[in-house]
Amino acid sequence: MKVILLEDVKSLGKKGDIVTVSDGYARNMILPKKLGVEATGKNLNDLKLKNQHAEKVAQENLETAKALAEQINTKEVTVTLKTGEGGKTFGSVSSKEISAAAKEQLQMELDKKKMQLPDGGLKTLGVHEIKIKFHPKVTGTLKVKIIEE
């Protein structure tokens, strides 16, 4: 019997896959536990429409991410950092502080988890370029200017 999986099933396949299983396994395991539905014409058509919609949404998300990356590539945020004698810095600038500065200065919500900073954060004064991952295929660069407090 051909079955369309509604959930990931170990050793069978992922959600949305069309698999062939024995009739008994389908009747006793897959169908009662709502792990899949029988691959009838209507169900196959529903799966096709759902996949088309998912592709359309994914394409729209990619376009949005590209536009946001283009916009962020030209921007710069300024963050202050305490310094002592001889320009020695105390602490570092974290992604949380960069996200807050972007919200305040650029009116843009940037997810701190998607920023790729060196381990320990930014610890020196000057201009640094950090990468922000907007989408698995799209990465933007934001300039962060660190000045003395």
Side-chain angles (χ1 to χ4, degrees), residues 50-63:
K50 193 182 290 185
N51 287 343
Q52 285 176 346
H53 179 69
E55 286 176 16
K56 182 180 176 188
V57 168
Q59 186 63 33
E60 289 173 359
N61 288 343
L62 179 64
E63 296 299 322

Side-chain angles (χ1 to χ4, degrees), residues 1-143:
M1 175 185 288
K2 286 194 181 255
V3 177
I4 301 171
L5 296 177
L6 300 176
E7 302 285 330
D8 291 353
V9 179
K10 192 174 185 176
S11 77
L12 249 190
K14 300 230 178 257
K15 179 179 178 179
D17 288 352
I18 300 170
V19 295
T20 304
V21 295
S22 69
D23 291 352
Y25 186 63
R27 272 195 310 271
N28 295 323
M29 177 72 174
I30 302 292
L31 299 177
K33 291 188 176 185
K34 306 270 192 255
L35 298 175
V37 292
E38 190 175 347
T40 62
K42 179 190 177 305
N43 290 340
L44 289 171
N45 193 34
D46 289 347
L47 177 66
K48 182 179 169 188
L49 291 173
K50 193 182 290 185
N51 287 343
Q52 285 176 346
H53 179 69
E55 286 176 16
K56 182 180 176 188
V57 168
Q59 186 63 33
E60 289 173 359
N61 288 343
L62 179 64
E63 296 299 322
T64 304
K66 283 181 180 177
L68 192 57
E70 284 295 320
Q71 187 180 4
I72 205 81
N73 285 340
T74 60
K75 304 288 184 184
E76 178 179 281
V77 295
T78 305
V79 181
T80 59
L81 186 62
K82 256 188 178 174
T83 56
E85 289 182 30
K88 183 172 169 65
T89 60
F90 296 112
S92 64
V93 176
S94 67
S95 57
K96 182 178 179 181
E97 293 165 318
I98 295 170
S99 179
K103 185 175 183 180
E104 180 184 313
Q105 297 169 20
L106 306 176
Q107 288 75 41
M108 297 179 82
E109 293 280 337
L110 298 177
D111 189 0
K112 67 180 183 179
K113 295 174 186 164
K114 296 186 180 186
M115 294 181 189
Q116 299 171 338
L117 295 177
D119 288 338
L122 304 174
K123 297 180 180 186
T124 58
L125 300 177
V127 178
H128 302 273
E129 291 186 353
I130 61 164
K131 301 230 180 270
I132 303 174
K133 207 165 184 127
F134 294 108
H135 189 271
K137 298 178 183 174
V138 180
T139 303
T141 305
L142 176 68
K143 289 184 179 146

